[in-house]
Amino acid sequence: MTTRATERGTHTRLFDSQRRVLERIASHAPLQETFETLIRLIEEQAEGMRCAVLLADSAQQSLSFIAAPSIPEDYKAGIVRYLRIAPNMGSCGTAAFLREPVYTEDTGTDVLWEDCREIAVRNGLRAIWSTPILGDDNAVLGTFAMYYGEPRLPSPEHIQLIDMAIQMARVAIEAKRSKDALRKREEGLRIVIDTIPAMAWSVLPNGAVDFLNQRWLNYAGVSLEQYIESPTRAIHPEDIPRVLEKWLATMAAGEPYEDEMRLRRADGEYRWFLIRTVPLRDEQGNIVKWYGTSTDIEDRKRAEDTLRRNQAFFAAEAQRISGLLKTATPGRRLEHSGGDEIVGADQRGIAGKSAPGENVAESTAPENRRLIAERQAIESLTSNERAIIRLITDGKSNAEVAELLHLSPRTVETYRARLMEKLRVEDLVALVKFAIRHGMTAVD
């Protein structure tokens, strides 16, 4: 009960923080003020953590601080020339260039900080984690950075905070851009909601949907009137009973709602979405409306499925090896015959074989260490790296991979080099063999 209560309390605080930032956006507060509110709310969730939001210039060439209330002025002034959007530009510049998170465990030793580590270290910033803020067109809007005074890597709780911060920052930036362009329009706020890079809606206190933004309507391929006639038409039939039961319970309790479900796209394909809904209350505490967003998590779900398959494979291998060790005949050892089959070998002292009396566990220890090392390497791969492996094993060239993943060929080359380093393979052939051995091919 204590754990569940703690988790519920954490979710409630996060949803409340999200609501307060959305209120700043809706009131047309200056962008810096909105981000400072966001940063304060995020910093309250973890002791010793400091945060900053940096914006990209219109030419997508460099970054600059827009809100960093807890970051030393000496650091902000000294790091300016290293905020170019390019490789090896510390954490933020590199994250913006790669369009993926960069988690620096220790600025004192990380190669990305070779040219500017002294600036970070003298200001007591040892761990710096930066995540790019990307627009709907994959353009870099900026970065969100977390800082710690001691070397460390993010925990799952940190990742949750980062995800919320990125979502709110993206909404704030796009809302500001939309507001500037549509300031004179009569329904400015509704247009802002229609143009943010998220599927959003509002629900009346009785549960009836009264607004769906244009992105939602475009995804489902329906009009608001058509949706109102059949509110569950876009939800996967298998998910409807669970979703309705949880939503009705949430409305009755008046608590924030979070769930994952499959929603049908206009072309008939179902994709997984993370659904978040929060209540808006009046001064008396009565719910006057519910506001919600849907975030596409299809790629994450597929990555989780792949990770589960890999974990099941390694668990089965570990169990199989353990069983063989328990049943091995004394005086014999286990060795690989070149394939997956494991056979016994006698102790006649053949060159390269075990000497008489060699312990079975010792002879299989290197193989176990290799399997564990490869498993750890696989778990460290990002979703983009996994996608690139599959396309490479499918015979795609760098140019074809780049086109399919909406990346530049140069970025794909960077990914490939990093993949080979992570997986400790020397060439493309070895990379393909590794992928096949671990069930990471396009067919799988």
Side-chain angles (χ1 to χ4, degrees), residues 42 49-52 127-130 144-148 158 161-162 165:
I42 295 295
M49 178 179 67
R50 290 178 277 183
C51 301
I128 301 182
W129 315 325
S130 181
F144 180 83
M146 284 184 172
Y147 306 79
Y148 270 101
H158 287 124
L161 288 173
I162 291 171

Side-chain angles (χ1 to χ4, degrees), residues 309-326:
R309 289 198 302 270
N310 289 338
Q311 289 174 334
F313 167 78
F314 285 114
E317 282 294 293
Q319 185 175 7
R320 182 169 69 93
I321 292 172
S322 176
L324 289 169
L325 289 173
K326 290 178 181 178

Side-chain angles (χ1 to χ4, degrees), residues 95-200:
F97 175 76
L98 296 176
R99 287 177 168 78
E100 66 177 38
V102 171
Y103 302 138
T104 296
E105 181 178 7
D106 187 0
T107 57
T109 58
D110 196 296
V111 295
L112 292 179
W113 289 82
E114 183 175 358
D115 296 330
C116 50
R117 72 173 78 254
E118 192 273 335
I119 301 171
V121 171
R122 76 171 181 244
N123 283 282
L125 304 177
R126 298 301 294 268
I128 301 182
W129 315 325
S130 181
T131 304
I133 305 168
L134 303 178
D136 195 42
D137 57 357
N138 205 39
V140 177
L141 304 178
T143 61
F144 180 83
M146 284 184 172
Y147 306 79
Y148 270 101
E150 69 280 350
R152 63 188 299 177
L153 288 173
S155 66
E157 291 75 17
H158 287 124
I159 299 300
Q160 184 180 20
L161 288 173
I162 291 171
D163 287 344
M164 192 197 83
I166 291 300
Q167 182 182 8
M168 290 294 95
R170 182 171 60 241
V171 170
I173 295 170
E174 293 287 0
K176 176 63 166 58
R177 291 182 173 185
S178 298
K179 187 194 104 173
D180 290 344
L182 305 169
R183 185 174 300 172
K184 296 181 181 181
R185 295 287 296 270
E186 206 172 285
E187 296 184 354
L189 180 57
R190 174 160 295 199
I191 295 174
V192 167
I193 296 174
D194 275 342
T195 56
I196 61 175
M199 291 164 57

Side-chain angles (χ1 to χ4, degrees), residues 329-333 345-360 362-363:
T329 303
R332 296 171 65 84
R333 72 182 184 88
D346 62 25
Q347 48 189 31
R348 290 195 293 261
I350 300 174
K353 303 298 183 179
S354 303
E358 180 182 357
N359 186 278
V360 173
E362 291 177 355
S363 67

